Amino acid sequence: MFINKVLGLKNTKYEISKDKLEKCDTSFITKAYYNKEADVIYKRTDMEVYFLIEHQSTVDKNMSVRILEYEVEILRDIIKNKKENKSNNKNKTELKENPTIIPIVLYTGEEKWNEKTYITETQIQMPGYTNKEFGRYILIDANKYQEEELLNEEGALSKIILLEKSNNIEATYKKISKRKLKKYVKEI
């Protein structure tokens, strides 16, 4: 099977047999409420892994964005369907982890494909910031900061965090007001 060849699984213990794949519905509704249609989506029947196969006959400079959009919408659709199935059938188990979607672009055009294949390769890089994992977020856990530390920070975000985690907003606001703050911080 070609998927095994592309993924480097051919002749390994991880090789996927044809009976472990089923074709899925390829149309889904995006957040913006317009129809999108991927070319082919297969699901592994033994695990929550999907293969998105997109045929492309011309070079598309926005392919990485399109693929990302398809992946997000497919995930959204899978999660929504799992929730609906669970509410309709109490015996269904809840989806504890997000499924994996493996996107494959099948290019058959004559021009050389010269576009980047990963969205972070197409983005402007900010000097000094090295996180290149798209989809990973930075967590600010307010519980890890002490009140005094947040009071001493200059920016507005620290004051917002302080107010959010406060049990007595009025008292916290008084403590913040006693500090010498920049005008924009006071306004916020």
Side-chain angles (χ1 to χ4, degrees):
M1 204 168 39
F2 198 68
I3 287 178
N4 286 315
K5 180 180 172 81
V6 170
L7 299 180
L9 303 176
K10 195 168 184 76
N11 300 321
T12 70
K13 67 180 183 178
Y14 304 109
E15 190 167 358
I16 306 164
S17 61
K18 283 186 179 185
D19 65 321
K20 297 270 188 207
L21 289 179
E22 68 181 14
K23 197 170 179 186
C24 299
D25 181 17
T26 60
S27 64
F28 43 91
I29 305 292
T30 67
K31 201 78 165 151
Y33 303 107
Y34 56 90
N35 274 322
K36 280 284 184 190
E37 184 138 348
D39 288 346
V40 180
I41 301 171
Y42 289 103
K43 179 191 184 299
R44 279 193 67 157
T45 57
D46 59 337
M47 60 179 63
E48 290 290 323
V49 174
Y50 294 79
F51 301 95
L52 163 63
I53 302 172
E54 186 67 19
H55 175 256
Q56 194 65 28
S57 59
T58 58
V59 175
D60 183 350
K61 68 180 182 145
N62 292 313
M63 183 53 71
S64 61
V65 174
R66 281 182 47 211
I67 289 296
L68 179 66
E69 183 180 46
Y70 287 156
E71 286 180 280
V72 168
E73 293 306 327
I74 292 166
L75 273 174
R76 199 176 272 139
D77 194 54
I78 292 165
I79 293 166
K80 182 184 100 193
N81 289 334
K82 294 283 182 186
K83 284 181 183 175
E84 287 173 3
N85 287 342
K86 186 178 184 226
S87 66
N88 293 336
N89 183 355
K90 300 299 179 201
N91 296 331
K92 290 277 183 181
T93 56
E94 189 174 334
L95 184 64
K96 291 185 174 40
E97 296 176 306
N98 289 324
T100 293
I101 298 170
I102 300 172
I104 299 168
V105 174
L106 173 62
Y107 175 62
T108 58
E110 293 184 22
E111 284 181 61
K112 182 178 187 228
W113 188 275
N114 56 2
E115 295 301 326
K116 306 292 184 194
T117 58
Y118 188 53
I119 193 158
T120 59
E121 297 170 328
T122 68
Q123 293 176 310
I124 295 169
Q125 300 301 309
M126 185 177 87
Y129 180 68
T130 58
N131 181 12
K132 296 187 186 223
E133 294 178 85
F134 198 81
R136 182 177 295 277
Y137 53 89
I138 298 168
L139 175 67
I140 299 173
D141 185 346
N143 298 309
K144 292 186 177 183
Y145 298 93
Q146 299 298 317
E147 181 179 278
E148 197 60 33
E149 182 181 3
L150 293 169
L151 280 169
N152 290 333
E153 271 296 316
E154 281 189 34
L157 182 59
S158 59
K159 307 311 178 266
I160 292 168
I161 292 170
L162 191 57
L163 288 168
E164 276 290 322
K165 68 181 257 174
S166 174
N167 292 331
N168 185 335
I169 291 177
E170 291 79 21
T172 304
Y173 182 73
K174 284 180 186 175
K175 287 180 187 178
I176 293 171
S177 297
K178 290 179 184 175
R179 302 287 172 146
K180 186 176 181 179
L181 302 173
K182 293 182 179 174
K183 184 179 177 184
Y184 82 94
V185 175
K186 283 183 180 181
E187 289 173 0
I188 291 173

